[in-house]
Amino acid sequence: RMLSGYKPKNDIKDSYKVLELEEGCSLDDVRNSYHNLAKKYHPDSSSGMADSKAFIRVEEAYRVVLGDLAAKQKPEPGEEEEDQFKSKSLQHRHYLSFEGVGIGTPSQREKQYMQFRVDRATEQVLEYRQQRLESRYAGSDLSRAQDVRQSKKVKITQAVERLVEDLIQESMAKGDFDNLSGKGKPLQKFSHSPHIDPMTHNLNRILIDNGYQPEWILLQKEIRETIERLRKSIVASRRKLGQPMTLSEQKQWGRICEQFAEDIRKLNKRVDNFNLVVPILSRQMVHFSTDKEILRARKTYEAVVEKVSDSDTKENGGEERKRFGWKSSLLKWLKL
């Protein structure tokens, strides 16, 4: 306890180096250096060099340097006179107070005890901050990456907005907007619903009139066209193979089904992208099943084959009726 305020010389020198100071500096220099380094390394600061570990080292160095400066301070004149008249021998009764901290006269020991309390409180605050930082930045890498991505996104958005505004101002200065129809006339209010913002309605109407379509509309149209094309292609491939299929034709059909499954997998990725951007939950789409689509293609092929066979039998029956129709009519006449 008596030597609790003691710090090794090497530790003191390292502390001065951490604070970027030299021994013999003033207390104001120490405080200014600490404030500057705290702004630089504090985790809550907006500095790009924020680091909790470096801030902890600065805190520890600051406490060590303060203790060194306090130990180097000369005693006051009143204390020197008191030291001359009082005995230098240790009085055990003195050490029953101040938690047994410090050496020298009672006034000196009181100052040492106050410094000890300050150091102890600083250590407790430091430990609390360290625990809070560890719990807060447990996933520091992920949170920092997310913060960097978010900041980049905001910067890009702001840069694009400034670029668009600059282009608009440049075009206005050149007079590109002078020949527009309806210049100087107020926009007509096309919406009479009190639940719709007139400005939003007018902007949407202008976009629609100029052929603009939202991204999810284009994705939905593309998905429907793609699945119809895949269905027609697999039915056409099945019709080319014929019925019944030989061994080589069965192998070819297997390769066609594998390629069809790969196309369906790519199409399902587009479905996922569509579900992310569609604004209405009821408009979301489900994945296409490869087995169901192949079964559907087989049924479609069987229906086409059956239809073709029915048309062939009807044509054959018509030819036979034309061939033997005069005999049946003669028999009917004879019966009459």
Side-chain angles (χ1 to χ4, degrees), residues 63-86:
R63 290 190 286 103
V64 172
V65 172
L66 285 181
D68 182 57
L69 291 178
K72 290 181 179 179
Q73 287 180 353
K74 294 181 179 180
E76 297 179 357
E79 294 177 354
E80 292 179 355
E81 294 177 359
E82 186 180 1
D83 293 340
Q84 292 177 2
F85 295 102
K86 288 189 177 181

mmCIF file of all heavy atoms in Angstrom, residues 63-86:
data_model
loop_
_atom_site.group_PDB
_atom_site.id
_atom_site.type_symbol
_atom_site.label_atom_id
_atom_site.label_comp_id
_atom_site.label_asym_id
_atom_site.label_seq_id
_atom_site.Cartn_x
_atom_site.Cartn_y
_atom_site.Cartn_z
ATOM 1 N N ARG A 63 -2.420 8.801 -16.615
ATOM 2 C CA ARG A 63 -2.418 8.625 -15.166
ATOM 3 C C ARG A 63 -1.002 8.489 -14.612
ATOM 4 O O ARG A 63 -0.668 9.031 -13.558
ATOM 5 C CB ARG A 63 -3.251 7.402 -14.797
ATOM 6 C CG ARG A 63 -4.741 7.599 -15.006
ATOM 7 C CD ARG A 63 -5.575 6.488 -14.432
ATOM 8 N NE ARG A 63 -5.495 5.277 -15.235
ATOM 9 C CZ ARG A 63 -4.784 4.212 -14.917
ATOM 10 N NH1 ARG A 63 -4.093 4.189 -13.799
ATOM 11 N NH2 ARG A 63 -4.757 3.152 -15.704
ATOM 12 N N VAL A 64 -0.133 7.764 -15.332
ATOM 13 C CA VAL A 64 1.245 7.575 -14.861
ATOM 14 C C VAL A 64 1.990 8.895 -14.854
ATOM 15 O O VAL A 64 2.704 9.240 -13.893
ATOM 16 C CB VAL A 64 1.959 6.549 -15.755
ATOM 17 C CG1 VAL A 64 3.442 6.487 -15.410
ATOM 18 C CG2 VAL A 64 1.333 5.166 -15.561
ATOM 19 N N VAL A 65 1.814 9.687 -15.904
ATOM 20 C CA VAL A 65 2.517 10.974 -15.984
ATOM 21 C C VAL A 65 2.011 11.935 -14.920
ATOM 22 O O VAL A 65 2.788 12.684 -14.309
ATOM 23 C CB VAL A 65 2.355 11.568 -17.400
ATOM 24 C CG1 VAL A 65 2.902 12.995 -17.447
ATOM 25 C CG2 VAL A 65 3.082 10.705 -18.413
ATOM 26 N N LEU A 66 0.706 11.955 -14.672
ATOM 27 C CA LEU A 66 0.174 12.804 -13.607
ATOM 28 C C LEU A 66 0.771 12.422 -12.253
ATOM 29 O O LEU A 66 1.110 13.283 -11.430
ATOM 30 C CB LEU A 66 -1.352 12.695 -13.567
ATOM 31 C CG LEU A 66 -2.124 13.422 -14.667
ATOM 32 C CD1 LEU A 66 -3.622 13.230 -14.467
ATOM 33 C CD2 LEU A 66 -1.792 14.904 -14.687
ATOM 34 N N GLY A 67 0.859 11.111 -12.001
ATOM 35 C CA GLY A 67 1.471 10.677 -10.747
ATOM 36 C C GLY A 67 2.927 11.075 -10.638
ATOM 37 O O GLY A 67 3.413 11.460 -9.561
ATOM 38 N N ASP A 68 3.652 10.998 -11.767
ATOM 39 C CA ASP A 68 5.062 11.387 -11.753
ATOM 40 C C ASP A 68 5.213 12.887 -11.486
ATOM 41 O O ASP A 68 6.087 13.315 -10.722
ATOM 42 C CB ASP A 68 5.699 11.012 -13.083
ATOM 43 C CG ASP A 68 7.182 11.340 -13.116
ATOM 44 O OD1 ASP A 68 7.913 10.847 -12.238
ATOM 45 O OD2 ASP A 68 7.592 12.100 -14.023
ATOM 46 N N LEU A 69 4.367 13.703 -12.110
ATOM 47 C CA LEU A 69 4.428 15.146 -11.886
ATOM 48 C C LEU A 69 4.064 15.494 -10.445
ATOM 49 O O LEU A 69 4.646 16.411 -9.845
ATOM 50 C CB LEU A 69 3.490 15.864 -12.859
ATOM 51 C CG LEU A 69 3.902 15.834 -14.338
ATOM 52 C CD1 LEU A 69 2.846 16.531 -15.187
ATOM 53 C CD2 LEU A 69 5.267 16.503 -14.536
ATOM 54 N N ALA A 70 3.075 14.802 -9.891
ATOM 55 C CA ALA A 70 2.687 15.068 -8.508
ATOM 56 C C ALA A 70 3.818 14.720 -7.541
ATOM 57 O O ALA A 70 4.032 15.399 -6.525
ATOM 58 C CB ALA A 70 1.429 14.296 -8.153
ATOM 59 N N ALA A 71 4.556 13.637 -7.854
ATOM 60 C CA ALA A 71 5.661 13.244 -6.978
ATOM 61 C C ALA A 71 6.835 14.216 -7.068
ATOM 62 O O ALA A 71 7.582 14.401 -6.094
ATOM 63 C CB ALA A 71 6.125 11.838 -7.337
ATOM 64 N N LYS A 72 7.004 14.846 -8.247
ATOM 65 C CA LYS A 72 8.125 15.768 -8.436
ATOM 66 C C LYS A 72 7.852 17.167 -7.900
ATOM 67 O O LYS A 72 8.767 17.995 -7.840
ATOM 68 C CB LYS A 72 8.472 15.864 -9.921
ATOM 69 C CG LYS A 72 9.104 14.601 -10.471
ATOM 70 C CD LYS A 72 9.434 14.772 -11.942
ATOM 71 C CE LYS A 72 10.096 13.511 -12.500
ATOM 72 N NZ LYS A 72 10.408 13.640 -13.935
ATOM 73 N N GLN A 73 6.607 17.459 -7.588
ATOM 74 C CA GLN A 73 6.287 18.795 -7.083
ATOM 75 C C GLN A 73 6.954 19.019 -5.722
ATOM 76 O O GLN A 73 6.973 18.132 -4.860
ATOM 77 C CB GLN A 73 4.779 18.971 -6.946
ATOM 78 C CG GLN A 73 4.058 19.121 -8.276
ATOM 79 C CD GLN A 73 2.568 19.300 -8.079
ATOM 80 O OE1 GLN A 73 2.077 19.188 -6.964
ATOM 81 N NE2 GLN A 73 1.876 19.582 -9.172
ATOM 82 N N LYS A 74 7.447 20.233 -5.526
ATOM 83 C CA LYS A 74 8.127 20.559 -4.270
ATOM 84 C C LYS A 74 7.094 20.849 -3.180
ATOM 85 O O LYS A 74 6.034 21.391 -3.451
ATOM 86 C CB LYS A 74 9.004 21.791 -4.461
ATOM 87 C CG LYS A 74 10.149 21.547 -5.423
ATOM 88 C CD LYS A 74 10.998 22.800 -5.542
ATOM 89 C CE LYS A 74 12.161 22.557 -6.492
ATOM 90 N NZ LYS A 74 13.018 23.764 -6.635
ATOM 91 N N PRO A 75 7.378 20.529 -1.948
ATOM 92 C CA PRO A 75 6.437 20.846 -0.867
ATOM 93 C C PRO A 75 6.322 22.350 -0.657
ATOM 94 O O PRO A 75 7.236 23.111 -0.976
ATOM 95 C CB PRO A 75 7.043 20.157 0.361
ATOM 96 C CG PRO A 75 8.485 20.024 0.045
ATOM 97 C CD PRO A 75 8.583 19.841 -1.449
ATOM 98 N N GLU A 76 5.199 22.772 -0.146
ATOM 99 C CA GLU A 76 4.955 24.185 0.083
ATOM 100 C C GLU A 76 5.824 24.691 1.242
ATOM 101 O O GLU A 76 6.300 23.907 2.080
ATOM 102 C CB GLU A 76 3.474 24.404 0.418
ATOM 103 C CG GLU A 76 2.574 24.017 -0.733
ATOM 104 C CD GLU A 76 1.117 24.210 -0.377
ATOM 105 O OE1 GLU A 76 0.851 24.592 0.779
ATOM 106 O OE2 GLU A 76 0.263 23.950 -1.254
ATOM 107 N N PRO A 77 6.025 26.007 1.336
ATOM 108 C CA PRO A 77 6.889 26.545 2.419
ATOM 109 C C PRO A 77 6.386 26.196 3.800
ATOM 110 O O PRO A 77 7.168 25.892 4.696
ATOM 111 C CB PRO A 77 6.830 28.057 2.182
ATOM 112 C CG PRO A 77 6.513 28.203 0.731
ATOM 113 C CD PRO A 77 5.643 27.041 0.384
ATOM 114 N N GLY A 78 5.101 26.219 4.027
ATOM 115 C CA GLY A 78 4.568 25.873 5.344
ATOM 116 C C GLY A 78 4.889 24.446 5.720
ATOM 117 O O GLY A 78 5.172 24.119 6.870
ATOM 118 N N GLU A 79 4.870 23.576 4.707
ATOM 119 C CA GLU A 79 5.187 22.178 4.966
ATOM 120 C C GLU A 79 6.667 22.008 5.291
ATOM 121 O O GLU A 79 7.045 21.146 6.094
ATOM 122 C CB GLU A 79 4.785 21.340 3.768
ATOM 123 C CG GLU A 79 3.280 21.295 3.537
ATOM 124 C CD GLU A 79 2.933 20.507 2.292
ATOM 125 O OE1 GLU A 79 3.872 20.115 1.570
ATOM 126 O OE2 GLU A 79 1.743 20.287 2.061
ATOM 127 N N GLU A 80 7.538 22.799 4.636
ATOM 128 C CA GLU A 80 8.971 22.705 4.941
ATOM 129 C C GLU A 80 9.246 23.126 6.397
ATOM 130 O O GLU A 80 10.045 22.495 7.097
ATOM 131 C CB GLU A 80 9.765 23.596 3.982
ATOM 132 C CG GLU A 80 9.729 23.086 2.543
ATOM 133 C CD GLU A 80 10.506 24.000 1.621
ATOM 134 O OE1 GLU A 80 10.986 25.053 2.085
ATOM 135 O OE2 GLU A 80 10.640 23.653 0.454
ATOM 136 N N GLU A 81 8.573 24.212 6.844
ATOM 137 C CA GLU A 81 8.751 24.618 8.241
ATOM 138 C C GLU A 81 8.228 23.561 9.194
ATOM 139 O O GLU A 81 8.806 23.297 10.250
ATOM 140 C CB GLU A 81 8.014 25.941 8.472
ATOM 141 C CG GLU A 81 8.618 27.098 7.695
ATOM 142 C CD GLU A 81 7.820 28.365 7.886
ATOM 143 O OE1 GLU A 81 6.801 28.300 8.607
ATOM 144 O OE2 GLU A 81 8.224 29.400 7.311
ATOM 145 N N GLU A 82 7.124 22.929 8.775
ATOM 146 C CA GLU A 82 6.563 21.874 9.617
ATOM 147 C C GLU A 82 7.507 20.699 9.696
ATOM 148 O O GLU A 82 7.665 20.066 10.742
ATOM 149 C CB GLU A 82 5.205 21.445 9.044
ATOM 150 C CG GLU A 82 4.477 20.456 9.916
ATOM 151 C CD GLU A 82 3.132 20.049 9.315
ATOM 152 O OE1 GLU A 82 2.813 20.550 8.206
ATOM 153 O OE2 GLU A 82 2.440 19.241 9.940
ATOM 154 N N ASP A 83 8.182 20.383 8.587
ATOM 155 C CA ASP A 83 9.127 19.274 8.582
ATOM 156 C C ASP A 83 10.336 19.566 9.481
ATOM 157 O O ASP A 83 10.951 18.637 10.025
ATOM 158 C CB ASP A 83 9.599 19.000 7.157
ATOM 159 C CG ASP A 83 8.471 18.480 6.294
ATOM 160 O OD1 ASP A 83 7.472 17.981 6.885
ATOM 161 O OD2 ASP A 83 8.566 18.563 5.047
ATOM 162 N N GLN A 84 10.708 20.848 9.601
ATOM 163 C CA GLN A 84 11.886 21.167 10.410
ATOM 164 C C GLN A 84 11.641 20.935 11.898
ATOM 165 O O GLN A 84 12.554 20.608 12.639
ATOM 166 C CB GLN A 84 12.269 22.642 10.189
ATOM 167 C CG GLN A 84 12.775 22.921 8.790
ATOM 168 C CD GLN A 84 13.064 24.391 8.580
ATOM 169 O OE1 GLN A 84 12.906 25.190 9.526
ATOM 170 N NE2 GLN A 84 13.509 24.732 7.371
ATOM 171 N N PHE A 85 10.405 21.171 12.350
ATOM 172 C CA PHE A 85 10.116 21.071 13.772
ATOM 173 C C PHE A 85 9.567 19.718 14.179
ATOM 174 O O PHE A 85 9.452 19.434 15.373
ATOM 175 C CB PHE A 85 9.113 22.161 14.182
ATOM 176 C CG PHE A 85 9.687 23.537 14.032
ATOM 177 C CD1 PHE A 85 9.324 24.311 12.931
ATOM 178 C CD2 PHE A 85 10.557 24.050 14.968
ATOM 179 C CE1 PHE A 85 9.846 25.582 12.775
ATOM 180 C CE2 PHE A 85 11.081 25.322 14.823
ATOM 181 C CZ PHE A 85 10.740 26.104 13.722
ATOM 182 N N LYS A 86 9.164 18.889 13.196
ATOM 183 C CA LYS A 86 8.580 17.594 13.536
ATOM 184 C C LYS A 86 9.592 16.494 13.314
ATOM 185 O O LYS A 86 10.489 16.599 12.474
ATOM 186 C CB LYS A 86 7.330 17.332 12.696
ATOM 187 C CG LYS A 86 6.164 18.218 13.124
ATOM 188 C CD LYS A 86 4.896 17.798 12.429
ATOM 189 C CE LYS A 86 3.722 18.641 12.927
ATOM 190 N NZ LYS A 86 2.453 18.244 12.279
#
